[in-house]
Amino acid sequence: MQPSSERAQVETQLVAFVESLENRVFGWRAIHLQLSQLEPHNRRHLKLHMAVSAFGGLLERFKGELFQLSHGDIFYCWHGDSAAEVQQVVLGLCCLFSDDPLIKADGDHIDPADNPDLDGIRGGAAIRRRFCSWFDLECEYETLCLRVQQSVVEAGGTAKGRKAGDRRPLDPSQLARIETRLEAMSLSGLIRRQPICALLPGAAPRALFTEVHIAIRKLAEVLDVDLTADLWLFQRLGESLDRRLMSSLAHGVKDLGGPISINLRLATLLSPEFLKFDDTYRKHRSSSVVIELQLIDIFAELGSFLFIREFLRARGYLVCVDGLHYLHLPLIDRKRLGADMVKIIWSPDLLDAMNGGQLEEFKAATKRTGVDRVVLCRCETADAVNWGQTVGIRLFQGHYVDSLLRASRPAAIASARSALRNASC
């Protein structure tokens, strides 16, 4: 049996992974095998281990993640058209547990000839729903979230980790252990994608590219450590996370799915992991990659930045200066820095911080920098977007922008379907 701490980490990783799919549900599907509902003799360690092992081939051949909670339930999430292969594994597990009332109840039967499409599998005659539930995340993402939360609670865990203030602070000995664990740890459940959108007054948002990053708060929950307690140690950990992110993206560069941005430290850009990503990216290049660098890192090592900027330019990357306070913008010359974009951090204080003169100065700085070259990030409310549009900003990022983008998708899909029907008439 796994130690309780490891079981809790699996549950936290499952929640983190499902949350990471929120803005990229296209093509993702999931199943929930409710093994916790089996009879006790079917929940012995050997049989549960056999159930997990049955997914080994799928994990090797397809993009996906498998989680088994402490009470036995299995969640398998995958991307792509492999429903038939998943069905065959589930049918095999039905045979493994064929003597259990959960499988035999109500006279349901198992027929491998059933339609392997998800709608066919979902039909009830193929596999009893109490044993296995199927989810198409494009239309059932919220349903899956509720199911995960319910299963985690039933397993004795919680859907949320401890508060940051209750966690152990990061210290040098913990940092060494964490870096060792990161080498063997899957980061797929901790990688987040958030779009940067063009947003004009009265228009629907249009995603231009997507920032890819590691969710630090979720990683802190998984490790049960306050990672930001010591800023110097966190900087060192950040470099390790950068390299792991590069390794992860290098393996999945074909699946990046459009223009992306990556927030990295200067030291990472000359690491073997970045060079491997660069080599793979240039072989399969189909869209742009923006490298985001923190303003504080740039001016701390200006010579290194100037060298790395040319290194990136020669390879076709774009450069974004991140971490600007609104007072920085009038003082920063984007063109002299050789940057393609700048990113300003939104704060509610901006609503009251600027008097008339400051506001006009900021508008002029925005225009000088380029209205299509300034991103206002951390936009969590409509106030942020409204303020940004007032000063001429057109590019936005944040949870409020995500909600606008999600709300616009049904209308866009309906419009596309209408156009298709009209074209066929």
Side-chain angles (χ1 to χ4, degrees), residues 10 33 36 102 138 170 300 334:
V10 170
L33 291 167
S36 61
L102 191 67
E138 289 182 50
L170 182 65
R334 176 187 65 80

Side-chain angles (χ1 to χ4, degrees), residues 7-17 158 161 218 221-222:
R7 294 198 302 269
Q9 287 174 12
V10 170
E11 291 154 6
T12 303
Q13 288 172 350
L14 168 62
V15 173
F17 180 76
T158 61
K218 283 298 174 185
E221 288 182 16
V222 170

